[in-house]
Amino acid sequence: MKRSLRRNIERAVNQSWAGPDAHRSGWAGVLLLFPDDAFADAPTWHPGPGFENCLAYSWLRSNGDGTATAVVAGVGPKEMPAYDGGVWTEEEVWTVTADEERLLEVSSLWDKPHRITWMFYEEGAQIHREPYATHPIAAVESYWENFEKVWGFQPFTLEYGRNPLGEGRHWLLLTAEPGWDNIPDEVDLLRVSHTLARAFNAKARVYSYDRARRELNGPIERAGLHGPLALKPIMEALDTLGRP
């Protein structure tokens, strides 16, 4: 597997060559697809049938009667209504049912879901607030925070509110841009990708960089947000774990 992965990464780098900008030899990306049982011990929570995952720990359901219900976990007291004088000291989980069009306009669930607190001032909105610390979603987030401390990453399921690889599919996109000092290169990309693929029985897909679109080829958009620096904490974690 390692030999094949190396060849594919080298090919992707060559295909991505940046022409006259000679100090850049191109980008390469490795998409790791984790099997369904890779994180079998991870706790899960979902608000129920009909809810669509929007961004991070936020969900939306159209109720079919002109209203919609949104669930947003981990809303902090820096948001409304606390910051303008309300009493609020701990994070909460907000469930809000309101006019669908207005809920979507105000809450920004696909961008900044914590704006759900702005619905506090919306006439007719039904709002249920409960402590985050004792909610099941807190255990989910705690698991992944601890996982990241050990492995240096958290796998993705969503990208900007969509499931590009299927509902609930865990994945990780790693990229390298050879030719820049102090930035992980294709050797680091090979090492990390191969080690994680073995550790989690993941499939590895290699993609080159499309200079015209300024994106990696493949199903994951906006690849720059998963850029080369994402390799560094994983490399440090693997060194701590003693993995080659």
Side-chain angles (χ1 to χ4, degrees):
M1 175 186 177
K2 189 172 185 178
R3 184 177 302 174
S4 174
L5 188 57
R6 179 188 293 110
R7 287 198 304 267
N8 289 331
I9 291 175
E10 290 175 350
R11 184 182 300 114
V13 170
N14 292 333
Q15 290 174 350
S16 306
W17 181 62
D21 194 3
H23 69 285
R24 297 177 62 185
S25 54
W27 280 29
V30 176
L31 179 63
L32 295 176
L33 302 175
F34 298 100
D36 293 339
D37 61 352
F39 312 106
D41 60 335
T44 59
W45 183 82
H46 192 273
F51 279 94
E52 179 183 5
N53 206 177
C54 298
L55 185 69
Y57 296 108
S58 64
W59 295 265
L60 177 69
R61 182 186 67 197
S62 177
N63 297 323
D65 59 358
T67 69
T69 300
V71 178
V72 180
V75 180
K78 68 178 181 180
E79 309 293 339
M80 292 184 181
Y83 83 90
D84 60 356
V87 178
W88 188 4
T89 59
E90 302 294 336
E91 290 187 331
E92 297 178 348
V93 178
W94 281 50
T95 301
V96 180
T97 299
D99 175 82
E100 184 166 5
E101 184 176 342
R102 188 61 181 158
L103 179 60
L104 291 174
E105 179 182 350
V106 172
S107 65
S108 299
L109 288 173
W110 305 101
D111 179 24
K112 296 180 176 66
H114 284 59
R115 286 181 179 174
I116 191 67
T117 61
W118 293 11
M119 294 298 295
F120 185 82
Y121 302 104
E122 197 68 23
E123 184 177 355
Q126 300 176 30
I127 301 175
H128 175 69
R129 299 164 61 178
E130 53 189 317
Y132 171 82
T134 55
H135 194 279
I137 196 65
V140 175
E141 189 165 7
S142 177
Y143 173 92
W144 289 115
E145 287 177 350
N146 291 330
F147 181 93
E148 185 171 10
K149 289 178 182 178
V150 174
W151 289 96
F153 76 96
Q154 288 188 29
F156 292 86
T157 55
L158 293 174
E159 185 193 39
Y160 296 93
R162 68 188 185 96
N163 295 280
L165 301 173
E167 184 75 26
R169 187 71 180 270
H170 287 94
W171 52 272
L172 179 68
L173 177 65
L174 299 171
T175 64
E177 188 176 4
W180 290 96
D181 293 337
N182 300 319
I183 291 182
D185 59 17
E186 69 270 38
V187 176
D188 300 312
L189 179 63
L190 172 63
R191 176 206 167 194
V192 170
S193 301
H194 181 250
T195 301
L196 294 182
R198 284 191 308 164
F200 295 99
N201 196 28
K203 295 181 180 179
R205 299 178 181 175
V206 181
Y207 297 98
S208 58
Y209 182 71
D210 187 324
R211 297 192 302 277
R213 295 188 304 116
R214 297 184 179 182
E215 296 282 356
L216 280 180
N217 294 306
I220 308 300
E221 298 174 0
R222 305 189 189 186
L225 296 181
H226 311 281
L229 294 181
L231 280 172
K232 282 194 170 182
I234 304 177
M235 292 165 58
E236 293 171 357
L238 295 181
D239 288 341
T240 301
L241 291 168
R243 290 183 175 268

